[in-house]
């Protein structure tokens, strides 16, 4: 079948993206679902900084690639052997299609699935090679097993989590990446408990989800840090007790917490911010690294004595150490209870067109947008 999709053919070296247009909406041929695979009509797809990181080359991926990894849709067709979903189901798409059998999956850490990492790195799907072809018949790779900036996508059934029909598509679109990653870092990786102090550096979709996760956990105080005033104001509406610019944060956190926070979450992808987080936590404090820096960045200027001498810890968190089929339903319950009002992160709704998508990438790059949603199939207005 044919599907319109957003395709990146070469890394973008210049901005603004509204002028250089690094991505184009193309008509692609999409193969039918194979065993274990599902055809999904994409309803809404959110733009995430990880998409931008592929466009600008910070995350090296095989090109050309059909982009988009944070989305929600409706099951249209299932291939042989599919038992997890059925036609008509509303589903959240997840960017790690865990196999369920490798060592990491067996120990309850499916975000680190070896088979999923290999499939995602190759540009293929968990059950086989890429199913997308361009007008010349050449292969177009999948982004993280999803490629959701499109009208339709074929994905592994392991990439799907059924969700209730009454959850709005715009809300649900943010749960497969931003909420899993940010809230998961707080609730799964760190295990923050009520009354513990938490500071979040970086207030994009993932960082704001971490703020909401800390609020839901009963953390106190929850401190939000970002150079953009509008993002700090939003963090306060989403549950932060205090918000500061980066140059104010270290002294303010020390004063609020009596010497340093118990937890700090780095949601920028910057080694320098990781170092700031280590300074922001007190003795015995824990820093959770959530953001994805470019592969060539190194962690410098960090006193080694902070670990053995002050008992501080640095933890990594990929996809919030989430178990998606467990965590998406429970995070949706927190949304229903008013503890995760993710709809407030919705910056705007865009069409699946070349100008709109490139404008959205530019807004993401200059820090003015949090979660822009592509209405990929007209289901948001149907």
């Amino acid at each position: 079948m044919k599907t319109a999709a957003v395709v990146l053919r070469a890394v973008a070296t210049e901005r603004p993206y509204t002028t250089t247009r690094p991505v184009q909406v193309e008509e692609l041929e999409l193969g039918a679902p194979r065993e274990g695979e599902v055809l999904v009509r994409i309803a809404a797809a959110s733009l995430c900084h990880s998409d931008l990181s592929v466009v600008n080359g910070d995350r090296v991926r095989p090109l050309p690639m059909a982009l988009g990894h944070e989305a929600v849709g409706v099951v249209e067709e299932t291939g042989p052997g599919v038992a997890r979903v059925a036609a008509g189901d509303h589903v959240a798409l997840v960017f790690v299609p865990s196999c369920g059998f490798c060592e990491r999956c067996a120990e309850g850490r499916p975000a680190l699935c070896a088979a999923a990492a290999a499939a995602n790195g190759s540009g293929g799907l968990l059950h086989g090679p890429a199913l997308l072809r361009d007008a010349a018949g050449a292969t177009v790779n999948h982004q993280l097993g999803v490629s959701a900036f499109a009208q339709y996508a074929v994905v592994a059934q392991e990439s799907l989590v059924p969700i209730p029909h009454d959850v709005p598509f715009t809300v649900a679109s943010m749960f497969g990446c931003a909420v899993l990653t940010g809230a998961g870092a707080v609730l799964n990786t760190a295990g923050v408990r009520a009354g513990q102090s938490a500071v979040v550096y970086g207030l994009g979709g993932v960082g704001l989800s971490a703020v909401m996760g800390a609020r839901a956990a009963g953390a106190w105080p929850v401190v939000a840090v970002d150079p953009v005033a509008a993002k700090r104001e939003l963090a306060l509406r989403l549950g932060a007790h205090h918000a500061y610019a980066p140059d104010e944060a270290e002294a303010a956190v020390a004063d609020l917490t009596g010497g340093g926070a118990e937890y700090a979450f780095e949601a920028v992808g910057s080694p320098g911010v990781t170092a700031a987080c280590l300074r922001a936590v007190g003795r015995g404090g824990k820093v959770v690294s959530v953001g994805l820096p470019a592969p060539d960045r190194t962690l410098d200027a960090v006193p080694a004595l902070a670990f053995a001498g002050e008992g501080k810890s640095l933890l990594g968190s990929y996809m919030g150490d989430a178990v998606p089929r467990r965590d998406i339903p429970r995070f949706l319950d927190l949304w229903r209870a008013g503890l995760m009002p993710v709809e407030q992160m919705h910056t705007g709704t865009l069409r699946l067109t070349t100008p709109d998508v490139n404008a959205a990438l530019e807004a993401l790059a200059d820090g003015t947008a949090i979660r822009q949603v592509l209405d990929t199939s007209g289901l948001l207005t149907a």
Side-chain angles (χ1 to χ4, degrees):
M1 65 179 296
K2 302 290 186 182
T3 181
V6 174
V7 178
L8 174 70
R9 293 191 172 274
V11 168
T13 57
E14 296 182 3
R15 288 176 59 195
Y17 300 136
T18 49
T19 301
T20 61
R21 293 194 174 190
V23 300
Q24 302 288 324
V25 175
E26 301 182 19
E27 185 177 75
L28 302 180
E29 184 72 27
L30 175 62
R34 300 165 294 204
E35 184 164 0
E37 294 177 341
V38 179
L39 173 66
V40 178
R41 183 183 181 191
I42 304 299
S46 299
L47 278 84
C48 170
H49 203 278
S50 292
D51 303 311
L52 180 63
S53 296
V54 176
V55 171
N56 67 19
D58 283 349
R59 306 300 298 169
V60 179
R61 298 293 182 188
L63 302 180
M65 175 168 279
L67 299 181
H69 71 283
E70 182 179 86
V72 64
V74 179
V75 173
E76 293 279 309
E77 180 186 341
T78 59
V82 171
R84 297 187 179 192
V85 297
D89 283 354
H90 289 196
V91 288
L93 283 75
V94 177
F95 64 91
V96 179
S98 54
C99 72
F101 297 100
C102 70
E103 185 176 359
R104 297 287 82 82
C105 286
E107 69 180 15
R109 304 187 72 190
L112 301 180
C113 173
N120 284 354
S122 73
L125 299 176
L126 186 64
H127 299 294
L131 289 172
L132 293 167
R133 301 289 183 271
D134 64 16
T139 298
V140 176
N141 294 296
H142 300 265
Q143 185 188 10
L144 300 175
V146 178
S147 292
F149 294 164
Q151 295 168 310
Y152 294 91
V154 170
V155 300
Q157 65 173 331
E158 293 86 352
S159 293
L160 301 175
V161 175
I163 61 172
H165 282 224
D166 65 335
V167 180
F169 286 131
T170 297
V171 168
S173 70
M174 305 180 206
F175 277 79
C177 176
V179 177
L180 274 187
T181 302
V186 174
L187 299 171
N188 296 330
T189 307
V192 172
R193 302 190 305 275
Q196 294 184 310
S197 53
V199 55
V200 178
Y201 279 74
L203 301 176
V206 170
L208 289 170
S209 294
V211 168
M212 289 185 281
R215 175 197 182 193
W220 188 88
V222 178
V223 182
V225 182
D226 197 279
V228 179
K231 292 183 176 181
R232 299 196 299 270
E233 293 167 4
L234 178 56
L236 292 170
R237 296 200 300 272
L238 293 177
H241 301 105
H242 306 275
Y244 298 100
D247 59 352
E248 307 169 313
E250 187 174 343
V253 170
D255 183 58
L256 286 168
T257 60
E262 291 169 270
Y263 290 95
F265 298 87
E266 193 282 333
V268 179
S270 164
V273 176
T274 302
C277 286
L278 280 163
R279 295 192 299 271
V281 296
R283 295 177 66 84
K286 294 178 173 61
V287 173
V288 181
S289 177
V290 187
L292 290 172
D296 60 349
R297 302 292 301 277
T298 58
L299 187 59
D300 302 315
V302 173
L305 191 59
F307 302 107
E310 299 178 65
K312 296 181 180 182
S313 303
L314 176 59
L315 307 174
S317 179
Y318 186 56
M319 202 174 75
D321 282 312
V323 181
R325 290 178 69 86
R326 175 197 70 192
D327 289 338
I328 288 179
R330 71 171 176 142
F331 292 165
L332 282 171
D333 283 346
L334 292 172
W335 167 75
R336 290 184 191 280
L339 294 173
M340 284 192 179
V342 301
E343 61 275 6
Q344 295 191 43
M345 299 195 299
H346 180 205
T347 306
T349 300
L350 306 166
R351 299 167 301 156
L352 186 63
T353 68
T354 295
D356 274 18
V357 177
N358 283 294
L361 289 171
E362 185 62 25
L364 198 60
D366 67 21
T368 59
I370 298 172
R371 274 303 186 267
Q372 303 165 94
V373 176
L374 289 175
D375 184 1
T376 54
S377 297
L379 291 178
L380 298 185
T381 54

